[in-house]
Amino acid sequence: MINEFGVKDSKVIFSEQAGIAWDLLDAEAYEVIFVDLEGNILFINDSASQRYHKSSKALIGICIWDLYPHTHLNYLKILLNQVAATGQPIKSNFTENGQWNQTTIYPIKGKGKRVDGIALCIHNVTHQMEKEEQFKRVVLELINAQEDERFRISRDLHDDTGQRMTALLLQLRSIKDIIENDRNVAKEEVNNAILNLETIVKHIRQIFYQLTPPSLNRVALPKVLDAFCSSVEEANGIHVDFSCQEEMPELLENQVTVIYRFVQEGLTNVIKHSGATSAWVNLDYTDGDLNISLEDNGNGFDIKNTVEGLGLRGIRQRFISLNGCFEIESAPGKGTRLNGTLPFKSKGSRELI
Ligand SMILES: Nc1ncnc2c1ncn2[C@@H]1O[C@H](COP(=O)(O)OP(=O)(O)OP(=O)(O)O)[C@@H](O)[C@H]1O
Ligand SMILES: [Mg+2]
């Protein structure tokens, strides 16, 4: 039978002094201590007595407060009093010598439902707490990544679109003023305003495109990358060459996203920073590794003295999150080469990467 402590193999101990029958449990995973309202031990199981390096028998009658670590003493006393007063159990986690212990304090009720004693059930939850901490760290990283992305979008909108919209507004106001006096000048200004508006629309489209890349799950990655490279070539007037092995295995969705974001950020950097006339993108699959590289013939940069922005940092984090690696080779006047590798496991594989 499993009782309220969730432990099997219970045995019944009868305490004559207290006149209460105890249904006790002796499982190794749980330390169980019964005390009276003054804190005197009435029962302690073997797991709990080992903590105090004494036998269970030798500990009967000793006050629990003389044994408990000073760090938690006052807090535990408050909890015990609360359980005695309310008759409701309480759970709390304490650390001790690098170990997390979950202590559940139960009221032991005698005649007339009066609380006559307290049962402490202590359980090592270090593993569980570590998992929770790990989970919290991952959630925090996700939140930070989300914040970084928001910052980037607002910066892009502010620096480019925001400025252009303000200029357009001023332009339209001036057209309103001159429209009465000189229709030809007004016409010219309207044409300029249309051109400005077209640039703004193009920029907003680019932002949307970056936020939601084309349906990566429906079209094969090489095709998507090829089309993306061609669109960069067309829009920016630099030569972008894409090459890929003929037979590519079917990739997992998160691998596809990481590779797509690599090419997207890499080419954006080429346009923004490199002054290159050509860039080469290559996707390869060899010896169980997926490899993506991007090279340009631009200015290059001094890696040691350059602070990584959200772009390169984001790519690195994405590769690391899939147990891959990301490297940058660059030097002033020597162009830049980015290289990303992912360990490859096919879609059907049960192993996690
Ligand atoms: N292909 C390149 N050629 C020359 N310099 C580069 C190239 N790629 C990156 N850099 C340098 O590395 C810096 C960091 O790049 P990163 O992509 O991390 O940030 P960013 O492009 O400045 O801003 P963000 O990507 O956050 O919009 C750039 O500011 C630039 O100085
Ligand atoms: Mg960048």
Side-chain angles (χ1 to χ4, degrees):
M1 188 190 88
I2 296 178
N3 78 354
E4 64 174 316
F5 301 110
V7 187
K8 285 180 185 166
D9 299 319
S10 62
K11 64 184 180 189
V12 176
I13 289 184
F14 183 74
S15 160
E16 284 183 359
Q17 297 95 319
I20 301 165
W22 308 99
D23 189 3
L24 287 182
L25 324 157
D26 232 348
E28 266 181 31
Y30 287 81
E31 296 176 26
V32 182
I33 308 170
F34 284 15
V35 294
D36 63 19
L37 293 181
E38 272 74 52
N40 300 314
I41 296 175
L42 302 173
F43 168 80
I44 180 161
N45 73 354
D46 287 343
S47 304
S49 61
Q50 273 164 23
R51 175 194 287 266
Y52 307 112
H53 312 291
K54 285 190 177 158
S55 70
S56 304
K57 254 189 179 171
L59 287 163
I60 302 287
I62 290 180
C63 183
I64 181 96
W65 308 131
D66 296 336
L67 302 172
Y68 227 78
H70 286 284
T71 38
H72 311 311
L73 201 61
N74 286 336
Y75 183 52
L76 194 72
K77 276 183 182 174
I78 292 170
L79 294 183
L80 251 69
N81 286 336
Q82 200 175 325
V83 173
T86 61
Q88 297 298 320
I90 290 180
K91 240 181 216 165
S92 193
N93 291 337
F94 298 95
T95 45
E96 208 182 324
N97 305 325
Q99 179 178 308
W100 275 99
N101 288 325
Q102 183 175 79
T103 304
T104 313
I105 306 166
Y106 296 91
I108 299 170
K109 295 178 182 171
K111 282 181 191 148
K113 301 256 169 173
R114 204 186 58 205
V115 178
D116 285 335
I118 299 288
L120 292 139
C121 186
I122 303 155
H123 182 41
N124 181 353
V125 287
T126 310
H127 185 64
Q128 189 184 325
M129 292 297 281
E130 278 170 1
K131 287 267 169 237
E132 273 174 33
E133 288 300 314
Q134 210 177 348
F135 179 68
K136 277 189 214 156
R137 274 198 298 275
V138 172
V139 170
L140 201 67
E141 270 171 28
L142 281 174
I143 292 169
N144 285 342
Q146 204 179 36
E147 285 303 316
D148 283 353
E149 202 59 39
R150 283 184 185 157
F151 168 75
R152 218 173 181 212
I153 297 163
S154 76
R155 187 196 59 191
D156 281 359
L157 284 172
H158 172 268
D159 291 358
D160 191 292
T161 314
Q163 312 283 5
R164 284 183 197 276
M165 293 285 266
T166 312
L168 183 64
L169 192 69
L170 294 175
Q171 207 170 13
L172 288 173
R173 280 191 190 135
S174 87
I175 294 170
K176 194 176 143 220
D177 290 341
I178 56 178
I179 209 157
E180 299 292 322
N181 307 325
D182 195 333
R183 294 183 75 84
N184 281 340
V185 176
K187 196 175 164 191
E188 204 177 308
E189 281 296 303
V190 168
N191 276 336
N192 286 338
I194 291 170
L195 287 177
N196 280 341
L197 194 56
E198 279 170 359
T199 314
I200 292 169
V201 170
K202 204 166 139 194
H203 190 247
I204 289 177
R205 278 217 186 101
Q206 262 173 13
I207 293 176
F208 283 145
Y209 191 75
Q210 284 188 351
L211 286 174
T212 47
S215 45
L216 291 171
N217 46 352
R218 275 184 272 137
V219 186
L221 179 67
K223 271 196 181 160
V224 174
L225 292 182
D226 200 16
F228 181 66
C229 290
S230 302
S231 74
V232 172
E233 182 170 87
E234 209 176 298
N236 301 282
I238 74 161
H239 173 69
V240 184
D241 179 77
F242 174 72
S243 58
C244 168
Q245 206 170 293
E246 265 193 20
E247 287 293 309
M248 280 297 291
E250 202 183 347
L251 308 182
L252 296 168
E253 213 175 302
N254 48 13
Q255 294 169 328
V256 169
T257 311
V258 169
I259 289 170
Y260 181 81
R261 293 295 187 196
F262 170 101
V263 176
Q264 191 180 37
E265 175 58 32
L267 283 179
T268 306
N269 277 353
V270 171
I271 305 301
K272 253 166 72 176
H273 309 296
S274 78
T277 53
S278 294
W280 296 267
V281 179
N282 179 259
L283 178 64
D284 231 355
Y285 168 60
T286 34
D287 302 331
D289 277 340
L290 279 172
N291 195 271
I292 180 85
S293 67
L294 165 54
E295 208 171 335
D296 71 56
N297 63 352
N299 309 326
F301 65 105
D302 181 355
I303 298 173
K304 278 195 184 138
N305 293 314
T306 304
V307 181
E308 272 187 12
L310 297 179
L312 294 177
R313 211 163 359 125
I315 301 182
R316 176 168 287 105
Q317 276 166 357
R318 284 175 194 269
F319 274 87
I320 290 172
S321 73
L322 294 187
N323 296 328
C325 59
F326 171 68
E327 284 155 8
I328 307 167
E329 288 166 37
S330 191
K334 298 249 163 85
T336 301
R337 183 183 160 86
L338 307 181
N339 200 77
T341 308
L342 289 177
F344 179 75
K345 296 276 183 295
S346 66
K347 251 186 173 169
S349 169
R350 287 168 147 259
E351 248 180 279
L352 284 173
I353 61 162

